[in-house]
Amino acid sequence: MRISLRSIVKIIKRLSLEQHDAISNSGLGGLLNLRCTKLDHDLCEWLVQKFNPKICSLNVHGQQLLITELDVHKLLGIPTKGKTIELNKSSKEFSKQFEELGVVQGAVKLNALRDYLTKTDGAGEEFKRIFSLYIL
């Protein structure tokens, strides 16, 4: 199962300023400017077919257009450098969190994540984790 862009945009529109800040501070701030609610799947397929991963280029009309990390950053607002994530929880704590999120055999229930995001006013660690999971 996958989520729609419309669903993501809808959630982003209702977030508080505190939640926007939390998302920005987590490195996912580029998503806050997402306005597109529909993907042109034919265009996406065409781009994938024209992309050469060995040299990071799009081959269009006989020309190779090199694409760098900086290009992706400028176009999509995605950071080119990630943050270090430290996991300070025991496996018991992760099991408990998986149970709370409704994870069954590695599958996350998107409806549970969406419900949380549409109902919470918090902007703490749990909010950031659930937002990240929903986006992924």
Side-chain angles (χ1 to χ4, degrees):
M1 182 181 228
R2 62 182 179 191
I3 59 173
S4 69
L5 287 173
R6 183 180 316 275
S7 170
I8 295 170
V9 170
K10 210 169 162 180
I11 286 172
I12 289 171
K13 282 183 180 179
R14 69 147 307 276
L15 297 176
S16 70
L17 289 176
E18 184 182 19
Q19 290 170 327
H20 274 249
D21 288 345
I23 291 167
S24 291
N25 292 335
S26 72
L28 296 173
L31 292 168
L32 298 173
N33 299 316
L34 184 64
R35 299 293 178 260
C36 177
T37 58
K38 199 172 184 187
L39 278 179
D40 183 335
H41 293 283
D42 291 336
L43 175 60
C44 291
E45 184 179 342
W46 182 85
L47 286 169
V48 168
Q49 289 174 355
K50 300 294 182 183
F51 185 71
N52 181 340
K54 290 179 183 172
I55 58 173
C56 295
S57 71
L58 276 177
N59 300 316
V60 182
H61 302 299
Q63 294 184 4
Q64 284 186 338
L65 307 171
L66 296 178
I67 299 175
T68 67
E69 289 179 2
L70 185 58
D71 295 328
V72 174
H73 168 70
K74 286 180 179 178
L75 290 170
L76 302 177
I78 299 171
T80 58
K81 302 280 188 257
K83 292 185 176 188
T84 301
I85 298 173
E86 294 184 30
L87 302 175
N88 298 324
K89 293 188 177 213
S90 69
S91 59
K92 251 185 190 177
E93 289 175 296
F94 278 115
S95 295
K96 182 181 178 223
Q97 190 153 39
F98 286 170
E99 188 177 310
E100 289 171 3
L101 292 172
V103 176
V104 179
Q105 294 181 343
V108 178
K109 294 182 180 178
L110 293 175
N111 289 339
L113 300 179
R114 186 181 314 115
D115 287 347
Y116 173 89
L117 292 170
T118 56
K119 293 176 183 171
T120 189
D121 292 327
E125 293 302 313
E126 183 179 22
F127 166 77
K128 289 188 275 188
R129 276 193 301 275
I130 290 176
F131 181 82
S132 299
L133 270 175
Y134 188 69
I135 295 301
L136 290 173

